[in-house]
């Protein structure tokens, strides 16, 4: 079981579903959420200043207002966030575009690209990737 994960999605129902499935599957002890990439970056900034544990995995939507998933990955790949190099990202998208899948592979922290919605079976497969 992971200690903490971060779910980044602009849809409150999707975030509620993530929490429910993650809890029922026993995938993680703690589930943090952010509504866009900017909030996710702020979460890491606060974690660093508060000296708290950061998530081991990020479930990341691509299409969000304010800051989408690609922009988040661009920022998260910079030197500023290099201390989080152990954090892995699972891209969760409502569409499976082959170009998006190939683009995701260019980010070293992305270990998987999955189609929404999240499921217990998907979490079991992700456990095998870790």
């Amino acid at each position: 079981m992971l200690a903490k994960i971060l779910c980044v999605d602009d849809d409150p129902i999707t975030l509620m579903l993530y929490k429910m499935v993650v809890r029922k599957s026993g995938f993680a002890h703690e589930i943090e959420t952010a509504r866009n990439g900017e909030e996710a970056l702020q979460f890491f900034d606060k974690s660093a200043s508060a000296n708290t544990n950061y998530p081991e995995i990020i479930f990341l939507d691509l299409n969000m207002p304010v800051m989408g998933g690609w922009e988040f990955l661009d920022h998260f790949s910079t030197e500023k966030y290099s201390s989080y190099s152990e954090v892995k990202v699972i891209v969760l998208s409502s569409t499976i575009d082959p170009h998006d899948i190939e683009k995701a592979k260019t980010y070293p922290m992305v270990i998987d690209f999955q189609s929404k919605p999240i499921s217990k079976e998907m979490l079991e497969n992700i456990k095998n990737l870790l």
Side-chain angles (χ1 to χ4, degrees), residues 3-97:
K4 186 186 289 188
I5 63 168
L6 174 64
C7 301
V8 186
D9 199 296
D10 61 313
D11 181 37
I13 294 172
T14 300
L15 289 174
M16 184 179 70
L17 176 65
Y18 286 175
K19 285 181 173 182
M20 186 177 69
V21 173
V22 167
R23 282 192 182 114
K24 284 190 174 194
S25 69
F27 187 75
H29 287 289
E30 193 175 342
I31 306 156
E32 299 286 345
T33 61
R35 294 175 293 175
N36 56 61
E38 185 176 279
E39 284 186 13
L41 291 174
Q42 290 170 355
F43 174 84
F44 282 96
D45 293 342
K46 288 176 186 172
S47 293
S49 64
N51 215 10
T52 61
N53 291 338
Y54 52 87
E56 297 162 83
I57 288 188
I58 301 170
F59 289 111
L60 180 67
D61 185 24
L62 293 178
N63 301 309
M64 297 175 285
V66 182
M67 181 188 287
W70 296 125
E71 193 175 355
F72 167 81
L73 287 169
D74 288 341
H75 284 281
F76 201 63
S77 298
T78 64
E79 181 67 29
K80 179 178 179 181
Y81 297 98
S82 63
S83 60
Y84 302 109
S85 62
E86 294 177 15
V87 176
K88 303 301 179 203
V89 176
I90 309 290
V91 174
L92 291 173
S93 180
S94 55
T95 61
I96 298 291
D97 181 339

